[in-house]
Amino acid sequence: METYRVLADLKLDVAHLARYSSREGTVATRRMMIMFRNEEKMRRFRMLEELQEKIVDGINRNYLGRSVEVLFEEKVKNRWKGRTPTINWCFVESDDDLKGRIVPVTITWTGPWSMQANLQKTALN
């Protein structure tokens, strides 16, 4: 629960979560006095994962309607995928070649793991 409280207080954009492992040679094997069943490990992991999802969803909601620059990397399923300066995934639909370009967009939808946007009209001029 201390990890949960710290994560809730910090409100990080990104948190890499993992279940500790009892495999030989891991830190958990050396430091954990009690090993928990896999079901308990998964319950704790899901609790942290759900908290982080709520935190990131709230952070991303602040982008809705805002202008942000995106560095586009590749086209996936007819949408360009790129990252904002704060490393958020952002998707736009465009027939233009955006690979490697930094383009201003307006965020139209946000979720906990990505955002959708429209290219700004002057972006490609």
Side-chain angles (χ1 to χ4, degrees):
M1 289 311 297
E2 186 61 26
T3 301
Y4 187 95
R5 283 189 286 276
V6 168
L7 192 61
D9 287 345
L10 292 176
K11 294 182 178 28
L12 301 170
D13 282 45
V14 177
H16 297 283
L17 304 172
R19 292 170 281 150
Y20 49 87
S21 171
S22 57
R23 291 186 323 266
E24 191 61 38
T26 63
V27 172
T29 301
R30 293 190 304 274
R31 294 192 182 163
M32 297 296 291
M33 300 292 274
I34 301 169
M35 279 295 153
F36 296 95
R37 299 174 59 117
N38 283 336
E39 294 81 12
E40 179 61 12
K41 290 179 192 179
M42 185 55 80
R43 184 189 72 78
R44 292 176 181 200
F45 175 77
R46 292 278 185 236
M47 187 172 67
L48 293 172
E49 190 176 53
E50 288 171 8
L51 172 62
Q52 184 61 20
E53 184 174 348
K54 288 177 188 173
I55 290 168
V56 175
D57 189 46
I59 290 169
N60 286 353
R61 246 184 275 124
N62 291 322
Y63 283 92
L64 197 57
R66 286 181 44 197
S67 174
V68 64
E69 290 188 331
V70 174
L71 170 60
F72 288 98
E73 298 177 5
E74 65 180 333
K75 198 164 192 177
V76 178
K77 297 181 182 178
N78 295 322
R79 294 188 310 167
W80 282 97
K81 177 174 84 169
R83 293 233 188 224
T84 67
T86 54
I87 72 164
N88 298 78
W89 285 115
C90 186
F91 294 87
V92 300
E93 292 183 15
S94 176
D95 292 330
D96 295 304
D97 184 1
L98 302 178
K99 187 172 185 167
R101 295 181 64 189
I102 298 173
V103 180
V105 301
T106 301
I107 304 298
T108 59
W109 177 88
T110 65
W113 312 122
S114 67
M115 297 184 270
Q116 293 177 18
N118 290 329
L119 294 176
Q120 293 182 3
K121 291 187 186 339
T122 59
L124 300 174
N125 295 336

